[in-house]
């Protein structure tokens, strides 16, 4: 169904993030809580995206809002694919160097920062949904300052 493309993209990403392999990789790298936070925010966005898809012909701003959601989902998918790839790669390759980019600690910190960044973008976009005519309940979104 072409008119629900953004909803379908977000739904597909939510399904992928719920997979056992994805959750295992996120747990391995210590970013599981970050994954859960992103999934929560995406679920909120997903809850109003279908409505936005149907209203987009009446309100021009919704086209841009939906496009931005799709872009964020694509960026998130790239990040999450990278985590899954690293997890599979680390199961195959056992030798590591302390300062290698494949070092699990370095990788974990980099991925945690990327997930927080993409979640922040999604949180802002969800909050901005009210400015384009979407009826969403406001919620405060705060993150600890962890150096990212």
């Amino acid at each position: 169904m072409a008119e629900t493309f953004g909803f379908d993209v977000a739904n597909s990403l939510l399904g992928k993030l719920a997979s056992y392999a994805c959750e295992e990789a996120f747990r391995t790298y210590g970013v599981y809580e970050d994954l859960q936070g992103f999934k929560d925010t995406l679920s909120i966005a997903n809850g109003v995206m279908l409505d936005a898809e149907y209203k987009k012909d009446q309100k021009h701003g919704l086209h841009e809002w939906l496009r931005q959601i799709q872009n964020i989902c694509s960026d998130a998918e790239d990040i999450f694919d990278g985590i899954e790839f690293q997890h599979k790669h680390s199961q195959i390759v056992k030798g590591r160097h302390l300062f290698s980019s494949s070092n699990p600690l370095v990788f974990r910190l980099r991925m945690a920062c990327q997930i927080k960044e993409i979640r922040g973008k999604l949180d802002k976009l969800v909050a901005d949904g009210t400015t384009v005519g979407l009826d969403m309940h406001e919620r405060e979104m705060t993150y600890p300052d962890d150096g990212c």
Side-chain angles (χ1 to χ4, degrees):
M1 189 150 66
E3 68 266 4
T4 60
F5 181 72
F7 176 80
D8 293 340
V9 168
N11 235 11
S12 173
L13 182 56
L14 281 169
K16 181 177 184 174
L17 295 178
S19 74
Y20 175 77
C22 189
E23 288 191 0
E24 179 185 351
F26 277 74
R27 285 182 202 279
T28 299
Y29 289 102
V31 293
Y32 183 75
E33 288 181 23
D34 297 316
L35 168 70
Q36 290 304 111
F38 181 83
K39 283 171 45 177
D40 291 346
T41 303
L42 186 57
S43 292
I44 291 168
N46 205 27
V48 295
M49 281 177 47
L50 198 54
D51 184 45
E53 292 279 359
Y54 289 109
K55 289 181 178 178
K56 70 182 179 187
D57 292 331
Q58 300 162 355
K59 297 183 179 189
H60 182 68
L62 290 177
H63 285 282
E64 179 61 18
W65 189 86
L66 288 166
R67 186 190 66 74
Q68 289 180 21
I69 289 274
Q70 291 169 5
N71 288 344
I72 288 171
C73 287
S74 293
D75 292 346
E77 193 165 23
D78 290 345
I79 291 167
F80 302 146
D81 285 347
I83 291 172
E84 282 188 288
F85 174 79
Q86 179 67 21
H87 181 65
K88 290 175 184 174
H89 178 70
S90 70
Q91 291 176 333
I92 295 169
V93 178
K94 300 297 179 190
R96 299 193 189 282
H97 301 294
L98 180 60
F99 296 104
S100 167
S101 64
S102 64
N103 179 305
L105 180 60
V106 172
F107 184 77
R108 176 183 304 152
L109 293 173
R110 189 173 68 233
M111 289 299 103
C113 286
Q114 287 181 354
I115 293 168
K116 282 180 176 62
E117 180 183 330
I118 199 80
R119 182 177 175 203
K121 289 178 183 178
L122 185 59
D123 281 341
K124 182 184 179 319
L125 194 58
V126 167
D128 288 348
T130 56
T131 64
V132 292
L134 297 175
D135 183 25
M136 292 186 272
H137 298 292
E138 291 283 321
R139 67 183 186 108
E140 187 175 329
M141 294 166 237
T142 59
Y143 305 97
D145 183 13
D146 57 2
C148 294

